[in-house]
Amino acid sequence: VPQSPQTPSSKSRIDPNQVPRPQADSDDVREFRTRSLSTTPVPQASSAFRVVDDGNCSPRFMRLSLNQIPSTRELASRIAIPIAVVLQPLAHLPPGETGVPLVSDLQNGPIRCRRCRCYINCHVQFVDGGRHWVCNLCGMMNAVETDYFCTLDAQGKRRDAAERPELSVGSVDIAATQEYFNRPAAPPAFFFCLDVSANSVQSGLLYASVQAVLAAIEDLAQPARAHENTLVGLMTYDMQLHFYNLAAANEDDLPGMHVVPDIDDPFVPTPSSLVKLSEKRSFLEKLLNALPNLFAHTQVGEAAVGSAVQAASMALAENGGKVLAVFGNPPTLGCGKVSRLDDMQAVGTEREKKSLSVDCPFFQDLAAQCTKTQVSVDLVACTSTYADLVSMGAVCRATGGQLTYVPKFEYNTHAAKLRHDICRMVCRPTGYEAVLRVRCSTGLAVEQYYGAFHKTLEGDIELPSVDSDKTLATSFKLESDMQADRTTAAIQCAILYTASDGTRRIRVHTISVLVTNNISTIFRSADLDAVINYVSKKAVMEPIILSLEAQRNQLIQLCVQILFVYRKFCATNPAPGQLILPESLKLLPLYTLGLLKNKTLTLDTAIVKSDERAYLRQRLLSLSAAQTSTFVYPRMFPLHAMPPSAGYANSNGEISMPPTMSLSAERLEPEGAYLLENGETMMIWLGRNVAKSFLQQVFDVHALAEGDAQHLQLVQRDNELSRRVVAVVEQIRSRHASFENVQVVMQREGGEAQLMALLVEDRAGAVSSYVDFLCTVHSQIQSKMTA
């Protein structure tokens, strides 16, 4: 980092214009061949790249924090960089990349090592003329079955390797045999629970929910994703639960309603609440369309969401499936009702750990029951008051479900988000009844898993459902030094799941990387996206053990220790007092600072409420590597001065983006308009002197009075600038699982504070600016050097 020749204590020594920042997106698509994993830098997770799987799985599925593994325990301890892998086992592959091949011709089922139970893969070695294979994880020699035998060529490779995906690529789906079935594969099943209380009706939430479910049903029925036996069910609820007899023979009338008044001990009153979508779609759509009028004049002000979710999970118990519950009121009655008040001042006190921990055991108990019956739970919280999402989210976290938070629901503002998010939850590629395990080479050992899941006593990860957006992280430790002749180490993730078409499969991802004793090589192989994803998940999974302040200090100390080790052992002839950053981890201080200022870990209760923090902490557990980096360090684009290509499709068919900017208020010009987003929030900041032509073309207004900005809607208008701005916004949305509403704020008006809180490089309260943080890190490194 360039510095000026001033005293070591001077905080102006670091030039703010020269400090490392993320690179702008490029339209160029880089090809990455996975065999080169240990010798070629892995593309940045958010960049444009095309993967060719030629012997290691794609970084979209598995991304290692280190692509060269230290050979000894002492070296692994010294480098301080955690050995971890970020897993997204069912990740969506972009157009142009080859899908995961299905292996269905193994007559005796998947071929596995007799000792470590590793699945055969492209890194095993065949010996003895092809009659045995040596496991690349544990070194066990295994006999080759007669019907799998093939001779070897002059290089000792099987002659049929190129024709067998399991022996030529890093990711495969293997058709499961009967021994991998606990019960016959069940069809996908969805049970929708809609809040029909007065608040839900009056805010437009019920109508928006109905439209969202109708859209999801339409998507489910599309031939490309339809399963002939897909099951659906519907319940409405307020102070009572309302089941519907969807199997009624006469579809000219609305189905009969079965009311369950006992919300403290709910039950399923009719076996006909779950029906085949292919047979009853029109009947279900008729009922959904009737709901807003049916409850238009309700005076019931509360809703028993906990009881509704429990009853819906009971309806799915025999089949398994997904419960999706939308609610506009906190659970103030029935099962799982809120039993504590919102303690906004708990942060920094002894009460903090309790406020970040589950208070109501009902949702934990329900999660345990749902895991046994293979039911996942999605909750969409549209509440205006405290709902204790820490407790409620427990059932989503343990079942592979999703918690979504849309506070203070307004139809005109939030209906599009509700529709998008519900459709995505229902229709994205999903595996059911999933069991995941990670295995690794002898010498390495799985240390801990981080994410949203249920872990069995045997160490397996169980997920009633796992979708293409779900990501978790696994850490490793070196139990023993690698053998002297060991040149590679392998990690394999295997997930057994039922695909949406009803077939039972085992998806196997395998990575093999070099082992080294060269500390400089290890640092060059580091992957910042994987490191940040891992440390952020680890931080938010440990609220009971550590306070927020302790978690924050741990992040700072990890950053300092990693950079200290690099300076001490890798830097060549550094100038005294110079801050040295490894190329692969040059953004580590910036992303660490971003985590400290993020709403999941901030100590500033003025910018985040308890339920929002609970939602974001749970959301972070499932974010991919690319999404985490953006969530930690948001992206800001100038809309008033976009380059000529921005907002138009490039040669790859994607929209070219404007260049990103550093996140500082100094970059916001009164004449400008800027878009800022982090995957959850999207805001447009308008300067006081923004051009009238921009306002006219983008928002169809000539001027803005005080408070007008918050009412502006971004819609495509009949002019070029509007089309380009909307295209940029839609391109951003397409990269995230959660739909981002656009909020417009004006310079020096009320909503501006929320945007300023996302400007990571500026000082915020007691948390320093980026330049000052670099100085603090530098000072601590110097102290370690002289100790």
Side-chain angles (χ1 to χ4, degrees):
V1 176
Q3 298 165 316
S4 55
Q6 301 180 19
T7 61
S9 61
S10 173
K11 289 193 175 182
S12 63
R13 293 179 66 249
I14 295 178
D15 183 354
N17 295 317
Q18 298 295 322
V19 294
R21 293 186 174 92
Q23 294 181 346
D25 290 340
S26 171
D27 288 343
D28 296 331
V29 178
R30 170 189 165 191
E31 181 178 279
F32 178 71
R33 305 186 77 86
T34 58
R35 274 280 182 180
S36 63
L37 188 66
S38 288
T39 55
T40 303
V42 178
Q44 183 182 337
S46 59
S47 65
F49 61 96
R50 184 173 68 88
V51 176
V52 178
D53 181 349
D54 60 351
N56 276 318
C57 80
S58 167
R60 303 189 198 279
F61 296 124
M62 291 175 67
R63 184 176 281 266
L64 285 167
S65 62
L66 293 173
N67 291 302
Q68 294 203 26
I69 302 295
S71 59
T72 66
R73 295 178 65 188
E74 187 276 333
L75 183 56
S77 175
R78 178 190 299 173
I79 61 174
I81 305 174
I83 304 175
V85 63
V86 177
L87 307 169
Q88 193 174 355
L90 301 186
H92 170 73
L93 296 179
E97 290 190 12
T98 304
V100 177
L102 175 63
V103 179
S104 57
D105 60 349
L106 302 178
Q107 298 179 10
N108 297 317
I111 301 171
R112 307 180 65 178
C113 174
R114 290 185 293 121
R115 179 195 289 159
C116 71
R117 305 303 292 159
C118 158
Y119 291 84
I120 197 168
N121 59 82
C122 57
H123 299 285
V124 304
Q125 182 182 0
F126 285 88
V127 296
D128 192 20
R131 287 183 286 273
H132 291 86
W133 61 275
V134 180
C135 176
N136 58 312
L137 266 61
C138 71
M140 180 73 176
M141 185 176 291
N142 298 271
V144 175
E145 297 287 341
T146 303
D147 59 0
Y148 195 70
F149 174 79
C150 181
T151 57
L152 308 183
D153 61 18
Q155 287 75 41
K157 305 292 184 183
R158 277 180 61 123
R159 297 183 186 278
D160 66 345
E163 296 145 26
R164 288 193 172 276
E166 72 274 18
L167 300 181
S168 57
V169 297
S171 296
V172 293
D173 268 332
I174 303 174
T177 47
Q178 200 59 42
E179 63 189 287
Y180 292 90
F181 287 73
N182 289 327
R183 61 179 184 179
F190 304 89
F191 208 105
F192 300 99
C193 306
L194 305 184
D195 181 349
V196 293
S197 63
N199 180 59
S200 178
V201 173
Q202 293 164 9
S203 67
L205 175 59
L206 175 58
Y207 182 74
S209 301
V210 165
Q211 297 304 308
V213 173
L214 284 169
I217 288 174
E218 182 177 357
D219 284 352
L220 271 180
Q222 296 301 313
R225 60 168 57 98
H227 185 290
E228 61 180 359
N229 293 320
T230 295
L231 302 174
V232 291
L234 177 67
M235 173 206 304
T236 55
Y237 63 96
D238 43 32
M239 294 180 67
Q240 299 176 326
L241 311 183
H242 318 127
F243 283 83
Y244 297 90
N245 182 14
L246 297 175
N250 183 8
E251 297 188 9
D252 293 332
D253 301 321
L254 289 176
M257 179 192 294
H258 299 265
V259 177
V260 179
D262 188 354
I263 54 176
D264 293 316
D265 187 18
F267 60 93
V268 181
T270 171
S272 304
S273 57
L274 205 60
V275 295
K276 288 185 180 181
L277 176 61
S278 58
E279 297 176 355
K280 295 292 182 178
R281 177 183 170 186
S282 60
F283 198 27
L284 179 62
E285 290 174 340
K286 182 177 181 179
L287 171 61
L288 282 165
N289 283 314
L291 290 180
N293 288 331
L294 193 62
F295 293 96
H297 304 295
T298 182
Q299 300 297 314
V300 181
E302 296 179 283
V305 60
S307 303
V309 172
Q310 184 180 29
S313 68
M314 293 165 63
L316 288 172
E318 289 188 9
N319 184 88
K322 181 184 288 289
V323 174
L324 195 155
V326 183
F327 58 100
N329 292 286
T332 53
L333 72 168
C335 302
K337 62 183 178 183
V338 177
S339 57
R340 63 179 172 187
L341 299 175
D342 185 10
D343 191 354
M344 288 290 295
Q345 305 306 315
V347 174
T349 71
E350 288 297 319
R351 306 189 309 276
E352 176 188 280
K353 294 179 184 178
K354 184 177 180 181
S355 71
L356 294 174
S357 304
V358 173
D359 178 65
C360 175
F362 167 78
F363 290 100
Q364 287 181 316
D365 296 340
L366 179 59
Q369 185 59 39
C370 286
T371 302
K372 291 179 182 177
T373 57
Q374 301 298 333
V375 173
S376 69
V377 177
D378 293 338
L379 296 178
V380 183
C382 303
T383 54
S384 300
T385 55
Y386 179 64
D388 191 11
L389 295 186
V390 171
S391 296
M392 295 190 72
V395 70
C396 304
R397 187 167 57 250
T399 62
Q402 178 175 320
L403 175 65
T404 297
Y405 184 46
V406 188
K408 299 180 180 179
F409 183 88
E410 295 181 6
Y411 182 85
N412 291 335
T413 303
H414 300 118
K417 175 178 176 60
L418 193 70
R419 177 183 178 129
H420 172 277
D421 287 2
I422 287 179
C423 286
R424 189 175 184 94
M425 283 187 271
V426 171
C427 300
R428 62 192 165 192
T430 301
Y432 301 95
E433 300 189 36
V435 181
L436 179 146
R437 174 167 284 200
V438 175
R439 297 176 174 87
C440 51
S441 292
T442 302
L444 278 175
V446 173
E447 187 175 38
Q448 189 58 270
Y449 292 92
Y450 298 93
F453 49 76
H454 170 71
K455 187 176 180 181
T456 67
L457 295 176
E458 295 78 19
D460 290 329
I461 300 301
E462 286 189 347
L463 294 159
S465 76
V466 55
D467 56 70
S468 57
D469 295 324
K470 287 291 184 298
T471 308
L472 61 152
T474 307
S475 62
F476 302 88
K477 59 183 177 181
L478 241 64
E479 285 190 323
S480 60
D481 295 349
M482 295 289 184
Q483 296 176 1
D485 60 347
R486 192 70 182 260
T487 59
T488 61
I491 295 172
Q492 186 178 86
C493 168
I495 179 168
L496 170 67
Y497 69 102
T498 301
S500 297
D501 62 4
T503 58
R504 195 79 168 144
R505 301 179 182 181
I506 304 155
R507 178 162 292 192
V508 180
H509 300 298
T510 308
I511 280 183
S512 181
V513 295
L514 296 176
V515 172
T516 183
N517 59 6
N518 187 315
I519 194 169
S520 296
T521 301
I522 293 173
F523 269 91
R524 280 197 297 270
S525 76
D527 187 315
L528 179 65
D529 290 316
V531 171
I532 292 300
N533 187 278
Y534 163 73
V535 298
S536 62
K537 283 177 167 56
K538 184 175 185 290
V540 300
M541 276 195 72
E542 299 179 338
I544 300 175
I545 303 171
L546 300 173
S547 65
L548 285 176
E549 186 62 43
Q551 291 172 356
R552 292 159 59 86
N553 288 334
Q554 276 194 352
L555 291 171
I556 296 172
Q557 292 309 309
L558 177 63
C559 175
V560 169
Q561 184 63 24
I562 290 173
L563 299 182
F564 161 69
V565 170
Y566 181 78
R567 179 185 177 88
K568 182 175 181 180
F569 296 104
C570 303
T572 56
N573 302 320
Q578 185 177 7
L579 177 59
I580 307 296
L581 300 175
E583 179 63 26
S584 62
L585 298 175
K586 63 184 179 183
L587 296 178
L588 180 61
L590 178 59
Y591 282 18
T592 300
L593 181 64
L595 274 173
L596 299 180
K597 296 183 177 182
N598 191 272
K599 288 183 177 181
T600 57
L601 291 170
T602 183
L603 300 179
D604 186 359
T605 56
I607 66 170
V608 58
K609 296 186 181 297
S610 299
D611 276 345
E612 184 183 13
R613 189 197 295 270
Y615 158 66
L616 291 175
R617 287 172 74 91
Q618 184 150 323
R619 188 85 185 94
L620 188 54
L621 290 178
S622 295
L623 289 183
S624 68
Q627 291 166 346
T628 301
S629 297
T630 302
F631 184 57
V632 169
Y633 186 85
R635 300 188 299 167
M636 185 162 70
F637 309 93
L639 297 180
H640 64 290
M642 293 191 292
S645 61
Y648 296 108
N650 57 29
S651 58
N652 307 313
E654 295 198 340
I655 300 299
S656 292
M657 301 296 290
T660 54
M661 305 172 60
S662 56
L663 295 180
S664 173
E666 294 180 355
R667 303 300 303 275
L668 300 177
E669 300 175 355
E671 298 80 16
Y674 303 88
L675 174 68
L676 186 144
E677 68 93 18
N678 70 348
E680 292 291 330
T681 301
M682 188 182 295
M683 307 182 77
I684 293 179
W685 183 91
L686 300 175
R688 283 286 177 184
N689 301 325
V690 65
K692 292 183 179 180
S693 59
F694 183 91
L695 294 177
Q696 174 66 40
Q697 293 179 71
V698 178
F699 296 109
D700 196 25
V701 295
H702 297 283
L704 290 174
E706 187 80 21
D708 284 353
Q710 62 183 319
H711 302 297
L712 294 178
Q713 296 287 324
L714 182 68
V715 296
Q716 183 169 304
R717 306 179 195 281
D718 191 19
N719 64 77
E720 202 65 20
L721 179 60
S722 174
R723 283 190 285 269
R724 293 172 66 196
V725 170
V726 170
V728 167
V729 168
E730 292 303 324
Q731 177 66 22
I732 292 171
R733 285 172 172 166
S734 71
R735 296 182 178 182
H736 297 298
S738 178
F739 184 91
E740 297 171 278
N741 281 319
V742 176
Q743 179 183 351
V744 184
V745 297
M746 194 75 180
Q747 184 180 13
R748 295 196 298 274
E749 289 190 5
E752 188 183 40
Q754 185 180 351
L755 180 139
M756 292 298 172
L758 296 174
L759 300 182
V760 171
E761 297 189 26
D762 290 340
R763 184 176 183 86
V767 184
S768 60
S769 68
Y770 181 28
V771 171
D772 288 346
F773 184 70
L774 284 173
C775 291
T776 300
V777 169
H778 184 206
S779 176
Q780 293 190 28
I781 292 173
Q782 287 184 307
S783 297
K784 284 177 172 286
M785 292 293 293
T786 57

